[in-house]
Amino acid sequence: TQLFKPILTRIHPCLIEEVKSKGQKEQRIIDVLEPVLMQHRLVVDKRVILEDQKAEPKRQLFYQLTRLTKERGALAHDDRLDALAMAVAYWVESLARDDEKADEEHREALREEALRKFAEQFTGPKQSAGWINTL
């Protein structure tokens, strides 16, 4: 990564993030892609498919995807499939964080509403808002 950074930043200034993987490659790829594919959540641009068809068959993404098994060395070439799995893993993690944040914000709004209703029992509708904001 360190050797590649200066070359890449000269051509296209961008951030480089290193990804380390553990375990059997085929199983890792399946673990990442299977839930997304089973839920029909992977969207592929038509241009990617058309460009992919120009490659040698064993190097095509969809060739690799349709022939992957849990057996070690199931594919002679899995570079495109591995890159797809890394991208999907990034987005799954990123979107999961967004879901958690949205869930927490929703719970907080529910707590505030419950506190407001509770306070209204004792102070009336107008005074309860000021009391909740001081918590």
Side-chain angles (χ1 to χ4, degrees), residues 9-24:
T9 52
R10 213 175 315 125
I11 297 169
H12 183 74
C14 63
L15 207 92
I16 298 176
E17 190 173 315
E18 206 168 326
V19 177
K20 297 198 181 207
S21 303
K22 292 183 180 178
Q24 183 187 353

Side-chain angles (χ1 to χ4, degrees), residues 119-134:
E120 283 179 3
Q121 295 175 5
F122 303 102
T123 63
K126 292 189 177 184
Q127 286 100 7
S128 66
W131 179 76
I132 291 173
N133 290 335
T134 61

Side-chain angles (χ1 to χ4, degrees), residues 64-121:
Q64 295 171 7
L65 180 64
T66 57
R67 286 159 180 82
L68 180 66
T69 66
K70 293 180 181 180
E71 296 174 26
R72 187 177 298 277
L75 296 170
H77 303 284
D78 58 10
D79 53 333
R80 293 181 183 198
L81 191 59
D82 194 24
L84 174 65
M86 284 188 272
V88 167
Y90 170 83
W91 285 109
V92 165
E93 183 182 328
S94 177
L95 293 173
R97 274 190 256 128
D98 290 348
D99 285 346
E100 290 168 9
K101 183 179 176 185
D103 190 39
E104 180 56 37
E105 288 171 357
H106 177 68
R107 278 183 286 191
E108 182 61 32
L110 291 175
R111 278 193 288 269
E112 286 181 16
E113 179 63 19
L115 276 172
R116 186 188 59 74
K117 286 181 180 180
F118 177 75
E120 283 179 3
Q121 295 175 5

Side-chain angles (χ1 to χ4, degrees), residues 13-56:
C14 63
L15 207 92
I16 298 176
E17 190 173 315
E18 206 168 326
V19 177
K20 297 198 181 207
S21 303
K22 292 183 180 178
Q24 183 187 353
K25 187 181 217 179
E26 292 82 2
Q27 186 62 51
R28 180 179 41 79
I29 293 171
I30 290 170
D31 289 345
V32 169
L33 293 179
E34 185 177 33
V36 175
L37 293 171
M38 294 297 285
Q39 295 173 12
H40 305 281
R41 293 184 177 244
L42 182 66
V43 178
V44 181
D45 189 294
K46 184 178 178 179
R47 291 174 294 190
V48 171
I49 297 168
L50 294 173
E51 193 64 32
D52 187 51
Q53 290 175 339
K54 294 177 184 176
E56 172 191 338

